[in-house]
Amino acid sequence: MKRVLFFFLKPLSFLPALLMMYVIFQFSAQTGDHSGNLSYEVSYKIVEIGNEVLNKGLEEWQISEYAYEIEYPVRKLAHMSEYFLLAVALSFPFYVYGLRGIPLMLVAGFLCVAFACGDEYHQSFVAGRGPSVKDVIIDSIGAFFGILTVRIICWIFLTPARVAEHQKDFAYRKLESRRRAQARKSNRRNP
């Protein structure tokens, strides 16, 4: 029963990755003006919160000026974050399916970079947007760190359990081997 349930649930582990792809696609489908306004609003909110937390007493025009200055880095960090999350959402299911180490990095990395390229191509059809190799590179950096994060988390939390299981299996096989050797030895003595 457990295997049947696992068989049907395992493919569902890719749903977060598909959802993240949909979110990225929707952001890319926004016009250049809409995307720019969204980036500015997020930047404005960041500066506004920073002003309140740090108690700087900035006026409205100063907040607006700072928001304009950080809009570009905020936009690029958003790109990186999207692909970081996509890489995490892709890497965990692959790990569950047994893909580990360098093959995991290659497969998940390839899929993320391919999606980034496709996404940039998609933007060439959206008003006020265009493809950018720079964005693909930024997306790839985010994906790399996402995959690396999954590798580290799995290495820290999941590998010790697998190693303990292997050690337990090894000890059991060694014990069985000794029992068989003793049985053969006693059979030779008592023909």
Side-chain angles (χ1 to χ4, degrees):
M1 177 64 175
K2 184 178 178 182
R3 285 182 179 226
V4 172
L5 186 64
F6 209 59
F7 176 79
F8 287 109
L9 290 180
K10 254 176 124 173
L12 295 178
S13 63
F14 284 101
L15 280 179
L18 293 173
L19 179 64
M20 197 63 220
M21 287 176 173
Y22 175 77
V23 167
I24 291 170
F25 184 83
Q26 288 302 313
F27 278 129
S28 294
Q30 295 174 343
T31 64
D33 290 337
H34 186 71
S35 178
N37 288 339
L38 181 61
S39 295
Y40 176 77
E41 288 173 20
V42 170
S43 301
Y44 189 89
K45 198 65 171 167
I46 290 170
V47 174
E48 197 174 49
I49 290 170
N51 183 41
E52 289 175 21
V53 169
L54 299 174
N55 203 16
K56 289 287 188 181
L58 297 175
E59 294 183 26
E60 188 79 22
W61 67 272
Q62 291 172 309
I63 293 173
S64 182
E65 191 173 295
Y66 285 126
Y68 181 73
E69 286 179 22
I70 69 166
E71 179 185 358
Y72 183 77
V74 165
R75 179 188 295 259
K76 298 310 166 190
L77 279 172
H79 266 270
M80 240 185 208
S81 300
E82 289 173 339
Y83 281 85
F84 175 89
L85 293 173
L86 176 61
V88 168
L90 270 175
S91 297
F92 272 123
F94 283 135
Y95 192 89
V96 167
Y97 274 96
L99 194 61
R100 295 183 173 89
I102 299 299
L104 170 70
M105 293 184 80
L106 292 174
V107 170
F110 174 77
L111 288 173
C112 288
V113 171
F115 189 77
C117 291
D119 187 49
E120 290 301 316
Y121 179 70
H122 164 246
Q123 286 182 23
S124 66
F125 298 105
V126 178
R129 305 285 295 266
S132 167
V133 172
K134 190 177 187 179
D135 282 349
V136 172
I137 292 168
I138 290 170
D139 297 343
S140 300
I141 291 168
F144 171 76
F145 282 110
I147 296 166
L148 193 62
T149 300
V150 169
R151 294 252 354 249
I152 290 169
I153 288 171
C154 291
W155 184 71
I156 290 172
F157 295 107
L158 300 178
T159 300
R162 274 202 342 248
V163 168
E165 187 68 31
H166 286 300
Q167 287 174 341
K168 185 176 152 185
D169 289 345
F170 178 74
Y172 177 75
R173 285 193 308 266
K174 193 172 181 180
L175 182 64
E176 284 298 311
S177 178
R178 283 184 190 160
R179 285 184 187 156
R180 282 192 301 263
Q182 285 176 348
R184 281 192 301 258
K185 195 176 189 181
S186 70
N187 285 342
R188 281 188 222 148
R189 285 186 195 161
N190 302 327

